[in-house]
Amino acid sequence: LNKYFEVYAYSPVRGQFAAIFMDVTAWKKAEKSLQENHAKLEMQVQQRTAELQDTMLSLADERKRFHEMLNALPAYVILLTADYHVSFANHYFEKRFGKSGGKRCYEYLFGRTEPCETCETYTVLKTGKPHHWEWNGPDGCIYDISDFLFTDIDGSKLILEMGIDITEQIQAQKALHATFRYARSLIEASLDPLVTINAEGKITDVNEATERVTGCRREQLVGTDFSDYFSEPQKAREGYEQVFSEGSVTDYPLTIRHRDGRRTDVLYNATIYKNEAGEVQGVFAAARDITAQKQAWQYARSLIEASLDPLVTINA
């Protein structure tokens, strides 16, 4: 009948027996299905366990490689918990500040009993966004800090902080600014008009003497055409083009026009200047006011012409 039966047989009277047949097909099929499902489940568990083991090994390898990468960085990297403990610090950090020994960051870095008032590390926990700032470390160095939210494999929130030592960079910038201020003071101390010009003939910088001789402020001059401030613009243009082609000019005569109409006769001396790569960046030009000299020569010439006596000049 293609069915399963559970049979009970007994003998009520000698020579006779009775039998009870109970149809257990449904139960048998359910049992068989249960066994098959159990076998499948057990196989799936075994497969998943193997996968998890492989995953854990892979995660362990990944974590190891990740730590090796962090330890190789020329910057410090730490992972901080919400309660100020250091869960990881790379070699760079430990070399600079030592091991935490289970202490909170403010305890072993600064010997404090409470978090630092000026610390910005934990800003990311409040905003949920990356945070960038500068930190004066206890080692006397200045660090460029970047903080990020980091989720560990167990789901806990950590702060990933990277700090790059920018002390030398800051010192170099200060030295550069000091050099710039010194150079600027020398330029401004000059009584002669000084100007820098780019390859397009545009003014890139001037000193106060240039402002006085043109009647224009620095912000009005910068970005305008150098040749626009002379009585002979084309001659002025040919002058700075000659500097770019030959490298310099000496005693190049021009007449500067003041905005009120006054004119100043000058002799320009100019040379190109280059960047560290040796590329020409522009022209540095200095103008020597020869108005008084020219007036003196004209006066002397008028005296000579006015004389009734024969006059002659003889060279060496």
Side-chain angles (χ1 to χ4, degrees), residues 43-302:
M43 184 177 294
Q44 289 176 352
V45 169
Q46 291 175 351
Q47 290 176 346
R48 185 58 179 161
T49 301
E51 290 174 358
L52 286 173
Q53 289 175 342
D54 291 340
T55 301
M56 292 302 292
L57 289 174
S58 178
L59 285 173
D61 290 340
E62 288 295 327
R63 182 179 287 265
K64 181 180 178 182
R65 285 194 292 269
F66 181 59
H67 285 182
E68 289 175 349
M69 179 193 70
L70 295 182
N71 283 324
L73 289 175
Y76 84 66
V77 178
I78 56 173
L79 286 173
L80 292 161
T81 65
D83 61 353
Y84 299 93
H85 282 96
V86 179
S87 65
F88 170 81
N90 69 348
H91 293 335
Y92 188 99
F93 185 88
E94 291 183 344
K95 184 178 179 181
R96 291 289 181 101
F97 308 110
K99 297 181 181 293
S100 65
K103 294 182 179 179
R104 291 179 170 83
C105 58
Y106 56 82
E107 292 173 334
Y108 89 95
L109 287 176
F110 300 102
R112 295 174 58 93
T113 57
E114 296 179 352
C116 306
E117 295 87 353
T118 58
C119 179
E120 298 184 40
T121 297
Y122 285 81
T123 301
V124 293
L125 289 182
K126 301 173 184 177
T127 64
K129 298 178 181 179
H131 185 57
H132 182 256
W133 55 296
E134 283 187 9
W135 177 53
N136 292 319
D139 58 348
C141 296
I142 303 171
Y143 293 90
D144 182 82
I145 306 295
S146 295
D147 291 313
F148 307 90
L149 276 180
F150 184 86
T151 303
D152 206 352
I153 56 175
D154 62 358
S156 60
K157 295 293 184 182
L158 301 174
I159 298 173
L160 174 63
E161 181 170 286
M162 175 179 286
I164 301 173
D165 186 351
I166 58 171
T167 308
E168 291 185 2
Q169 179 183 337
I170 294 294
Q171 292 173 344
Q173 288 176 349
K174 289 180 178 178
L176 180 63
H177 291 160
T179 302
F180 175 79
R181 288 192 298 270
Y182 176 72
R184 189 74 201 179
S185 66
L186 292 178
I187 291 172
E188 293 299 347
S190 173
L191 299 178
D192 295 329
L194 304 177
V195 61
T196 56
I197 314 160
N198 63 20
E200 289 74 39
K202 303 296 182 183
I203 296 174
T204 56
D205 198 6
V206 298
N207 66 347
E208 290 184 9
T210 304
E211 293 180 306
R212 289 192 296 270
V213 78
T214 60
C216 300
R217 296 190 304 275
R218 180 177 181 275
E219 55 268 25
Q220 294 173 313
L221 292 165
V222 171
T224 61
D225 198 300
F226 170 74
S227 60
D228 290 345
Y229 301 93
F230 299 89
S231 59
E232 297 177 89
Q234 182 57 35
K235 185 178 179 181
R237 189 174 297 109
E238 291 171 356
Y240 76 71
E241 288 176 351
Q242 180 181 340
V243 183
F244 278 109
S245 62
E246 299 179 10
S248 66
V249 295
T250 303
D251 293 339
Y252 192 86
L254 289 170
T255 301
I256 301 174
R257 288 186 296 105
H258 193 280
R259 65 187 305 174
D260 65 7
R262 284 180 293 158
R263 295 171 181 252
T264 304
D265 295 317
V266 297
L267 291 178
Y268 260 102
N269 292 284
T271 183
I272 58 173
Y273 64 91
K274 303 177 181 180
N275 61 15
E276 293 180 355
E279 301 168 335
V280 175
Q281 296 296 290
V283 166
F284 181 81
R288 175 59 52 89
D289 185 352
I290 60 169
T291 305
Q293 292 174 274
K294 195 170 183 180
Q295 290 173 346
W297 168 250
Q298 289 174 345
Y299 177 71
R301 185 70 187 174
S302 66

